[in-house]
Amino acid sequence: MPNVVVVGTQWGDEGKGKVVDLLTANADVVVRYQGGNNAGHTLVVNGEQTICHLIPSGILHAEKTCLIGNGVVVDPEVLLEEMETLRERGVSVGPENLGVSEKAHIILPYHKALDAAREKAKGKQKIGTTGRGIGPAYEDKAGRTGIRAVDLLEPAILGEKIRSNLEEKNFLLEAFLKAEPLDFQPMFDRYCAMGEVLRPYVTDVSLAIERAGREGRNVLFEGAQGTHLDIDHGTYPFVTSSNPIAGGACAGAGVGPRRLHHVNGIVKAYTTRVGAGPFTTELTDEIGDAIQSRGAEFGATTGRRRRCGWLDLVMLQDSIRLNGLDSLSITKLDVLTGLNPLKLCVGYELDGQTVESRPSSLDKLARCTPVYEEAPGWEEEISSARTLDDLPPETRAYLNRIEEITGVPIALVSVGAMREETIVVKDLFG
Ligand code: IMP
């Protein structure tokens, strides 16, 4: 059975949650490989909405195994809270269906304090982070001062590490960032206590994936955020601190590249972005407002209003190359109903010249202007369509044009928020 990776092709919020939920029906194991509680997906549990930031939505299926890979930064407060909320709603959560990599780095209160204080200090230059301490936790990982899940299980080592980290963090917080310092003892006690609760869940995720493969179980690797928020390939520095691209699944879950058999890229039928940074197809007019309100484009984690614009196929081409996409899932297509004409960005111009690919220089990227191709819109509601033939000809033409320009087949089209409001063109696990 093939293993599938699902990645966002834009700036996150492409609707990965729904696609992952659908694909989970055919997967045995679901693995998160990067990011942290900066991500968020809305789950409907027994009629009640719950937003999960860390636990994959596969947890709703009792027989699936959900794993949090070493590439994820874990805030144990958030993880425990999510476990509790799910249990209160009747979902069974235990070490038999949830595991956290012993190598996953842990978010501590000083990471959150630094994230907030740095953004405040940057003023207008701020990145617009989610404020969850994600960047500072990854900094410590690269700086070899991070605290891993396995350290939560060894109080003496945990104490030493927190103490030595706090010395430096408090100096930074107080002297440089003019923020409040943090106390060692309550932090140490709390993290020891959380470590005890999490002890049965802390495991070797790489080995668990290998075992699953040997038993013929297939794996769904779930990327968070999106390709253009990738620390290496995104619009740096307006990016997150990890690698959402498909290659990140190897490093962030502990698997070799040959274990990734199919990569599906999620493409929202238009583009959105939260936080700062260049956005070539951004619409600051009433069309942008219409997309924002119809698409309910507010962040699941921060509630921030998302910036909206036309679908950018130049960006998508980059994502196809960076992820090696085998297929696309087009989401939120129904949001475009009633907009006429539609526009697809098929190229960029910089200083009057056509550019071949997106410039790495942010200054140049910010000066790029989109080259649009117009496409006729449609007026009909499309949420009841279950096959491509059920769609109006203009909608099919819009999809065909995306396939034609990108050369990548569409495997799935989402035409509404509900699970059944989906057109499955190709079974990725088939
Ligand atoms: P951080 O990941 O909190 O450090 O935020 C860095 C940038 O990534 C900011 O622009 C955030 O808005 C953006 N970001 C982080 N997580 C998500 C997400 O799940 N969806 C969309 N944007 C995100």
Side-chain angles (χ1 to χ4, degrees):
M1 291 285 270
N3 294 331
V4 175
V5 190
V6 170
V7 292
T9 62
Q10 294 154 321
W11 281 294
D13 310 317
E14 295 91 353
K16 290 181 293 293
K18 173 175 163 178
V19 177
V20 166
D21 180 48
L22 278 164
L23 295 179
T24 297
N26 295 319
D28 301 303
V29 180
V30 186
V31 188
R32 259 291 293 276
Y33 59 83
Q34 45 72 230
N37 58 313
N38 46 354
H41 45 260
T42 308
L43 308 176
V44 180
V45 190
N46 298 329
E48 274 185 282
Q49 280 211 344
T50 306
I51 296 181
C52 270
H53 300 280
L54 281 168
I55 301 182
S57 51
I59 201 76
L60 300 188
H61 307 249
E63 71 290 4
K64 315 281 177 191
T65 308
C66 290
L67 299 172
I68 297 176
N70 58 279
V72 177
V73 284
V74 177
D75 185 332
E77 297 276 7
V78 174
L79 180 59
L80 290 170
E81 223 174 85
E82 285 182 11
M83 288 160 70
E84 212 31 60
T85 309
L86 287 168
R87 280 194 198 113
E88 277 165 16
R89 303 200 170 162
V91 179
S92 102
V93 185
E96 64 294 340
N97 64 346
L98 179 67
V100 183
S101 168
E102 48 200 6
K103 297 178 190 163
H105 280 250
I106 299 296
I107 296 181
L108 283 103
Y110 48 77
H111 294 130
K112 290 180 253 187
L114 282 169
D115 199 353
R118 285 213 188 110
E119 284 282 275
K120 195 169 160 211
K122 281 196 175 113
K124 278 203 169 130
Q125 305 301 319
K126 72 177 182 182
I127 293 177
T129 72
T130 56
R132 305 295 194 265
I134 308 293
Y138 279 115
E139 275 172 41
D140 280 1
K141 175 178 178 175
R144 276 65 55 87
T145 54
I147 292 176
R148 302 186 299 168
V150 69
D151 298 323
L152 294 183
L153 313 182
E154 296 173 352
I157 294 175
L158 179 67
E160 258 172 53
K161 290 191 173 183
I162 295 184
R163 201 180 284 285
S164 109
N165 283 351
L166 258 188
E167 224 178 294
E168 187 184 319
K169 309 297 182 197
N170 276 343
F171 176 72
L172 256 177
L173 282 169
E174 269 192 294
F176 186 66
L177 295 161
K178 314 287 175 230
E180 288 298 308
L182 299 165
D183 290 335
F184 168 80
Q185 201 60 47
M187 193 184 305
F188 174 64
D189 293 344
R190 179 79 190 123
Y191 275 71
C192 278
M194 291 194 290
E196 275 319 303
V197 183
L198 288 174
R199 187 178 288 277
Y201 296 86
V202 177
T203 186
D204 186 331
V205 163
S206 169
L207 197 59
I209 297 172
E210 157 127 338
R211 272 200 208 112
R214 269 191 255 130
E215 290 160 7
R217 304 170 80 210
N218 58 5
V219 184
L220 176 63
F221 294 93
E222 176 185 347
Q225 289 86 43
T227 302
H228 293 272
L229 285 173
D230 187 278
I231 179 97
D232 286 287
H233 300 288
T235 41
Y236 191 89
F238 299 102
V239 291
T240 192
S241 305
S242 61
N243 290 113
I245 56 167
C250 293
V255 297
R258 285 173 196 273
R259 302 274 292 136
L260 314 181
H261 305 121
H262 187 103
V263 186
N264 178 260
I266 316 291
V267 186
K268 187 144 59 178
Y270 47 94
T271 312
T272 61
R273 166 163 219 176
V274 279
F279 181 171
T280 312
T281 62
E282 182 167 16
L283 292 164
T284 49
D285 56 8
E286 67 284 0
I287 302 178
D289 290 344
I291 295 177
Q292 196 276 329
S293 71
R294 278 183 218 190
E297 294 294 351
F298 291 98
T301 299
T302 57
R304 286 182 291 180
R305 193 177 190 277
R306 297 175 184 146
R307 301 153 68 193
C308 296
W310 294 118
L311 180 57
D312 184 341
L313 296 178
V314 180
M315 256 177 96
L316 182 54
Q317 294 282 23
D318 271 6
S319 301
I320 290 167
R321 188 183 67 252
L322 292 164
N323 294 292
L325 295 186
D326 296 299
S327 64
L328 307 176
S329 293
I330 308 291
T331 59
K332 300 188 92 163
L333 189 60
D334 52 303
V335 174
L336 296 184
T337 295
L339 290 178
N340 206 351
L342 300 170
K343 287 185 183 180
L344 284 168
C345 172
V346 294
Y348 286 1
E349 275 182 5
L350 176 62
D351 303 331
Q353 305 278 320
T354 303
V355 293
E356 213 177 310
S357 66
R358 281 161 61 81
S360 302
S361 148
L362 272 210
D363 174 59
K364 285 193 176 141
L365 183 59
R367 286 193 290 114
C368 282
T369 53
V371 178
Y372 285 122
E373 188 177 285
E374 282 195 1
W378 57 89
E379 296 298 327
E380 300 89 329
E381 275 307 323
I382 58 170
S383 295
S384 58
R386 295 295 173 266
T387 70
L388 292 176
D389 289 337
D390 297 337
L391 293 171
E394 295 81 4
T395 322
R396 269 183 281 145
Y398 185 76
L399 295 175
N400 286 343
R401 192 68 187 126
I402 296 171
E403 280 188 325
E404 210 170 77
I405 294 176
T406 61
V408 181
I410 293 172
L412 188 147
V413 182
S414 171
V415 288
M418 306 303 287
R419 194 182 275 183
E420 59 278 10
E421 291 172 333
T422 309
I423 299 171
V424 179
V425 185
K426 182 186 180 317
D427 174 10
L428 301 185
F429 286 104

